[in-house]
Amino acid sequence: MIRLDDPISSLKGVGAKKTSKFNKLGLYTVADLLYYFPTTYENRKNLKTLNKVRHNEKATIIGKVCGKIQEITTKNKRILKLPIQDNTGIGYVIFYNSSYLKKIFKNNEKYYFYGNINIINGEVQINHPKFRNIQKESIEDFCSLTPKYPLINGLSQNEIITLQKKLISEYRITIKEYLPSYILEKNKICDINYAIKNIHFPSSSRSLKVAKYRLVFEELFFLQFGLLMIKKNNTESNNGIKFDMFPQVQDLIDMLPFKLTNAQVNALNDIIKDMTSPKGMNRLIQGDVGSGKTIIALLAMYLSCLNGYQSTLMAPTEILAEQHFKTFENILKPLGIKVGVLTKSVKDRSKILEYIKRGKLDIIIGTHALIQDKVVFKNLGLVVTDEQHRFGVRQRSFLKQKGYNPDVLVMTATPIPRTLSLILYGDLDISIIDELPPGRKHVKTYHISPKETEKLYNFIKKEITKGRQAYIVCPLVEDSDKIDAQSAIDLYENLKDNYFNSNKLGLVHGKMNSEDKETIMKKFKSGEIEILITTTVIEVGVNVPNASIMVIQNAERFGLAQLHQLRGRVGRSSLQSYCFLISESNSKVTIERMKTMENTNNGFIIAEKDLKLRGPGDFFGTKQHGLPELKIADLFKHVNILKKSQEEALYIVKNFNKLNSNDKEALKLKTENLFGNIYNDFTI
Ligand code: ADP
Ligand code: MG
């Protein structure tokens, strides 16, 4: 008996070598193999006779070998030409560079041939076809929708097909249904065994569709169900920290040089409500670039501090961590709060670790370095991740585990449509800051050609004499043989000796050590540097309100979300700001992107457009967010199924206790399998 959790190596014909190849594809068990789905299919159902085939169609022909195979050598190819016949005529099978096939075909025996047909001067040729002796395979089996698996890592498609066939037809492996039957009925979804059989070996295009629907549905369903269950557990358990409210928070708000926007006040109230309840907080603050998220995090962390708890904020780059550290120190040091910073290259590291452990620091700002084993907190009450889209769920969860059920606050500037936010942030409550501080002006954006740079540089010079500052972002750090794009080092050297020889220029990029980076950023912030030549190290979070010009070199090399983030470095005060996108690319997608940037400053509109232009694979991928990878569902293509599965997931989470124990157990098992290695302590 073969069981689903048996290792692949227990199958006949799978030795150690093949097992390791399967393992490299991430396939270990029989179940893994069954859930390794084909991405496309060859339609070998187009069975034709030699007199009916058309030029350039794909067809299957049953032909009898009627002569010797010929070998023809041309300049760069060795061709094999095999004569075949059926009742209607004669044709030739052509193979390229495949001398190993010379002795395979037996005269007078019949084979199936599937491939592309060429008719050259009346001669029917089948180009490099798939073939099989008809005694070895039934016509139904050969002339089918034949699966093609995505990555095969040195295994042949045939090897995978043969194994799948064995599991399904010979061993007749059956899977116990794990979706409640009412979901199947209501959504007209087939059962799992039909789905598995037909996703690998569809009996028709219709049955393939039915199978695929089920598998897409369940994939999206379980992802959302799992996340919603996590959220439910969080909200229902009363084992979070119950913070007290302190009037000092309002005092600090009153001391700020600006008045909080209504949207900021609402977000802060959501946070305070969460923090002062005995339930754990798991909240996402989503607010466009420049909407003022930092101060909200600071106020929440101050409240944690007033309650005698430490808090920590994790940022994706050292530059951003340093910047936040300075902002926090400026505001909180006068109030007697001790703020520290921890990055991988911070100087007095062991002293800082000691301070964190002994509770001598109240607030710790840092990078990924915060989630290392060595970092031990005394009493962590609140953890914040800034620019969450740069981190995975897993890193967020690691940070949380540094304390005993601390409250969790997550911030992101990347707006996404609601259906998708339920997927990517399904375990979080969401507050949206949909308002910019007053007086902000629309950043005027222009797509220009490299020929216009001189004009642009003159404009920058003029703005600098008015006291403004500029960023020039390059796609590369240094020149590369392989990529034809502007490098920051090269541009810096060039500009400081030529156009801008009377201005103060600075250079910052990711290959510099953090001390140098910090010095340059400090000088830019203070205005000592007027033009900062840089790479995407400044993409997220950097806040120099006096900078009003953003120039992006080779703008075609950046996605919309990235361009929007980069542009978000300017327009952070009431100064009129400008963004110049330099690109000479004529590609349709590039031009569409540039137009979108010129037409709107609104992150939501840009996100929707981004989704349309490149599909969700790149940016909205679950994998980047550290969630289970989607194997068959596509967040963009399957929006309708996404919505239906979302409804069912929401319903089941609410009514979980009303399910019968069989359904409960089955859902639980499947979900824990999916999330087990992401959330360390995931249970339903
Ligand atoms: P982001 O949401 O992109 O992280 P920041 O928190 O860095 O934005 O804020 C951008 C700038 O706006 C900062 O200089 C900050 O001090 C300022 N700011 C924040 N809130 C307000 C407000 N309500 N009024 C005016 N300026 C504000
Ligand atoms: Mg920010």
Side-chain angles (χ1 to χ4, degrees), residues 523-565:
K523 284 187 180 166
F524 189 57
K525 185 130 196 167
S526 70
E528 198 179 317
I529 288 174
E530 293 160 336
I531 304 176
L532 187 65
I533 321 286
T534 174
T535 59
T536 53
V537 285
I538 55 97
E539 181 185 330
V540 289
V542 169
N543 185 43
V544 181
N546 190 54
S548 65
I549 299 170
M550 167 58 68
V551 178
I552 303 173
Q553 299 274 352
N554 296 98
E556 73 280 357
R557 303 190 73 89
F558 302 98
L560 263 181
Q562 221 178 353
L563 291 172
H564 179 61
Q565 280 281 353

Side-chain angles (χ1 to χ4, degrees), residues 258-261 264 287-295 437-438 440 541 543 545 572:
F258 47 74
K259 189 170 168 284
L260 293 182
T261 63
Q264 282 172 313
D288 212 343
V289 277
S291 61
K293 295 180 291 294
T294 315
I295 190 68
R440 294 285 166 85
N543 185 43
R572 297 174 86 82

Side-chain angles (χ1 to χ4, degrees), residues 29 83 85 97 119 153 198 221 227 238 245 247 303 422 431 448 458 460 503 507 517 534 536 572 582 596 604 637:
T29 63
Q85 65 179 48
N97 298 330
I119 301 181
N153 183 40
N198 282 282
F221 172 83
L227 288 167
N238 278 345
M245 189 52 193
L303 179 60
L422 262 180
S431 303
I448 64 170
N458 289 336
I460 296 178
N503 292 101
L507 170 70
K517 269 190 276 189
T534 174
T536 53
R572 297 174 86 82
I582 305 183
T596 308
F604 269 101
K637 236 171 39 200

Side-chain angles (χ1 to χ4, degrees), residues 86-97:
D86 65 8
N87 292 335
T88 69
I90 285 188
Y92 294 90
V93 178
I94 309 285
F95 292 106
Y96 303 100
N97 298 330

Side-chain angles (χ1 to χ4, degrees), residues 42-90:
E42 257 171 25
N43 186 355
R44 298 188 193 163
K45 284 173 175 287
N46 185 24
L47 186 63
K48 287 258 171 114
T49 50
L50 283 167
N51 63 341
K52 289 272 162 64
V53 288
R54 279 177 292 121
H55 182 62
N56 218 5
E57 75 170 328
K58 287 207 153 119
T60 301
I61 283 163
I62 301 177
K64 188 164 84 178
V65 174
C66 61
K68 257 202 163 142
I69 200 160
Q70 293 173 51
E71 197 167 9
I72 303 160
T73 313
T74 68
K75 233 190 332 196
N76 44 17
K77 272 188 203 143
R78 301 249 295 277
I79 296 174
L80 292 177
K81 192 169 176 186
L82 177 75
I84 57 162
Q85 65 179 48
D86 65 8
N87 292 335
T88 69
I90 285 188

